[in-house]
Amino acid sequence: MQFFFEVLISGMLTGLMYSLVALGFVLIYKASGVFNFAQGAMVYFAALSVVGLMDKGMPMWAAIIGGFLVMIIVGLSTERFVLRKLVNQPPITLFMATIGLTFFLEGLGPLLFGSEVRAINLGIVDEPIQSIMDNYGIGISKFDLFASGMVIVLVTLLALFFQKTKVGRALRAVADDHQAALSLGIPLQHIWAIVWGVAGFVALVAGLLWGSRNGVQFALTMTALKALPVLILGGFTSVPGAIVGGLIIGASEKLAEIYIPPVMQSAFGGNFGGIEGWFPYVFALLFLLVRPEGLFGEKHIDRV
């Protein structure tokens, strides 16, 4: 039973890191109603900018501030030179624009900061907390706990931002209907600029955490794929849904990795390793059949 809880808790903590990437998708989707294909590239570009500035002699704290400013510039430039030209265009047009942004960032990052794999040391070691190990026999990583705390704080702040602030309410209005928001005097360009800046900051936090764990490398762009099942479960428009979806996906992924292969091997023989790579997507697909809008997503009612 201790091993079960260790796997469960480890999966949930990892799932919270998936949630951090999913947050970037939620922010852009709430503002523009389009899926931001460039979120993974933004995570990679943000982490790369930090290590690139550190390579130029900056201390880590200054490099992180510099990386934040870089992502603000990326967000503002995206709004100014891409999205502003596409106001009131169909969602597929905005989606295609984010695909172009993906390839642009994936090429620009290595050009400016180099493409070699580099490490980020946040000062949090990835080892079990000894007191919990001694008292309960459960290994919980210090790094996972730290990362989860960061995610919870960030999600809480974003939830309050959307619900309690004037800008957050304007953002929700823009997401519902661009034309109606414009008719009410809501500055669409300003709202998009703000939300892309916030999404850039979220990408920076995600890039630092994932880069610290796996190294800053091109593979960080693939973290966006891990967020897709999280979005499907939680809902594309819900910040709290990103957290709940991450917890479910992270826990189910780890439990499936441990417990399903032995059952399948005893029943059918052969090798059933690597199940954690595809199980979240199968789980999300089955969930779509039951609740397409996600746990916290908005239901769309067709009117005749």
Side-chain angles (χ1 to χ4, degrees), residues 272-294:
F272 289 90
I275 193 172
E276 73 279 4
W278 55 263
F279 180 83
Y281 302 97
V282 175
F283 184 75
L285 177 60
L286 295 175
F287 186 84
L288 276 174
L289 301 177
V290 179
R291 191 177 176 87
E293 69 276 6

Side-chain angles (χ1 to χ4, degrees), residues 255-272 275:
L255 292 173
E257 177 186 358
I258 297 298
Y259 291 106
I260 291 182
V263 175
M264 299 295 287
Q265 288 172 4
S266 63
F268 303 103
N271 183 11
F272 289 90
I275 193 172

Side-chain angles (χ1 to χ4, degrees), residues 9-71:
I9 294 172
S10 175
M12 293 174 68
L13 294 179
T14 301
L16 285 175
M17 290 185 65
Y18 295 159
S19 299
L20 188 57
V21 181
L23 276 177
F25 289 104
V26 171
L27 291 170
I28 301 302
Y29 194 85
K30 285 175 74 71
S32 61
V34 70
F35 178 79
N36 177 27
F37 193 82
Q39 190 62 35
M42 290 173 65
V43 171
Y44 172 56
F45 190 87
L48 200 58
S49 65
V50 172
V51 295
L53 293 174
M54 290 175 64
D55 288 344
K56 298 182 184 301
M58 283 190 177
M60 175 175 286
W61 64 269
I64 292 175
I65 294 175
F68 173 67
L69 295 177
V70 167
M71 295 311 297

